[in-house]
Amino acid sequence: MATNSVSSKGTAQKSKKSGRAPKEESQTESTQMFAAVSSQMRQKILQILAEEDMHISAIARNLGISVPVASKHIKVLEDADLIERKIYGKTHVFSLKKKNFTGAFDPFAPVKRLEVDKGTTLMEAFKTVSVVEVKNIDGKDFIVAADGEEGFYLYEVNGKLIDKRAEDFILEEDAVVEWKRLEPVTKKKLIVSVKKDDDKEKRKGYYESLI
């Protein structure tokens, strides 16, 4: 993922004043997140919650630890904003905050500043800072690799996801552009067993014997 701060030439002075380095507090949040996942026990808790929401007793039982010990690990994960707690009466159910994992590395993204002419497309701006590989699909160009890293790319301008292709987005004023590559993260794992034909015959014979 790369983060680029782009300025149009008519407003370069404004860009110098408004351009800011990543917030120190964001770096602190990321450091806290890394510390939270450094524990193998907390990693196991995250793996459990990645599959399903669960209350504290069930988490402790799955891991073979006491509820007080599980609660301590849960508190660390909550402080790192990696999980959330839902309260139903006296029952506390925990779930994974998946979106917070994707933004954990944002403070470490390289920041590049460049000045472009008003009317420059986002694609042209990207090409000045990276080696971009473009693939034409149905007459439209899409970025499929940047600096040798293949993948699908999304673009946020001033914190908002844009629904235009990079070659169609025109830079009219100073902007902070975040260029993000979608990672192949497993959302759900399925273990599929296909029934064999002989099993079907056995079941068929069984059912026929009951008639």
Side-chain angles (χ1 to χ4, degrees), residues 123 127 130-136 141-151 153 179:
M123 177 74 81
K127 288 182 177 180
S130 297
V131 178
V132 176
E133 182 180 340
V134 176
K135 185 175 182 180
N136 189 280
D141 289 337
F142 292 89
I143 296 177
V144 294
D147 297 328
E149 293 187 21
E150 296 182 354
Y153 287 82
W179 184 7

Side-chain angles (χ1 to χ4, degrees), residues 90-165:
K90 295 183 179 180
T91 303
H92 292 208
V93 177
F94 299 92
S95 60
L96 189 68
K97 298 181 75 171
K98 297 180 180 179
K99 65 179 182 179
N100 287 0
F101 283 97
T102 59
F105 296 92
D106 284 357
F108 304 98
V111 177
K112 298 182 180 179
R113 287 176 169 80
L114 63 151
E115 188 177 59
V116 299
D117 290 317
K118 187 175 182 179
T120 297
T121 66
L122 199 53
M123 177 74 81
E124 292 170 334
F126 284 153
K127 288 182 177 180
T128 65
V129 296
S130 297
V131 178
V132 176
E133 182 180 340
V134 176
K135 185 175 182 180
N136 189 280
I137 302 175
D138 295 330
K140 298 179 180 180
D141 289 337
F142 292 89
I143 296 177
V144 294
D147 297 328
E149 293 187 21
E150 296 182 354
F152 295 97
Y153 287 82
L154 296 177
Y155 322 104
E156 290 184 2
V157 179
N158 297 328
K160 295 182 179 179
L161 185 68
I162 60 174
D163 57 1
K164 294 182 180 179
R165 291 175 300 121

Side-chain angles (χ1 to χ4, degrees), residues 16-144:
K16 290 179 181 178
K17 293 181 179 179
S18 60
R20 293 186 295 272
K23 292 182 179 179
E24 184 177 342
E25 60 189 55
S26 297
Q27 293 177 343
T28 302
E29 290 171 0
S30 293
T31 301
Q32 189 174 27
M33 190 279 293
F34 289 129
V37 299
S38 64
S39 161
Q40 290 187 356
M41 187 60 69
R42 290 194 285 274
Q43 291 173 19
K44 291 178 181 178
I45 292 175
L46 293 173
Q47 289 173 349
I48 290 173
L49 296 180
E51 295 183 7
E52 60 179 316
D53 296 354
M54 193 172 290
H55 58 80
I56 187 68
S57 298
I59 293 174
R61 187 165 53 251
N62 271 271
L63 296 174
I65 58 178
S66 66
V67 171
V69 171
S71 296
K72 289 181 180 180
H73 287 295
I74 287 292
K75 180 64 168 58
V76 174
L77 294 172
E78 279 188 294
D79 290 343
D81 206 25
L82 294 177
I83 63 174
E84 60 182 340
R85 180 191 304 250
K86 299 175 183 176
I87 302 176
Y88 304 95
K90 295 183 179 180
T91 303
H92 292 208
V93 177
F94 299 92
S95 60
L96 189 68
K97 298 181 75 171
K98 297 180 180 179
K99 65 179 182 179
N100 287 0
F101 283 97
T102 59
F105 296 92
D106 284 357
F108 304 98
V111 177
K112 298 182 180 179
R113 287 176 169 80
L114 63 151
E115 188 177 59
V116 299
D117 290 317
K118 187 175 182 179
T120 297
T121 66
L122 199 53
M123 177 74 81
E124 292 170 334
F126 284 153
K127 288 182 177 180
T128 65
V129 296
S130 297
V131 178
V132 176
E133 182 180 340
V134 176
K135 185 175 182 180
N136 189 280
I137 302 175
D138 295 330
K140 298 179 180 180
D141 289 337
F142 292 89
I143 296 177
V144 294

Side-chain angles (χ1 to χ4, degrees), residues 195-207:
K195 297 175 181 177
K196 305 296 187 295
D197 291 337
D198 56 344
D199 291 336
K200 292 181 181 179
E201 292 299 325
K202 288 179 181 179
R203 287 196 302 276
K204 180 180 179 182
Y206 171 76
Y207 290 128

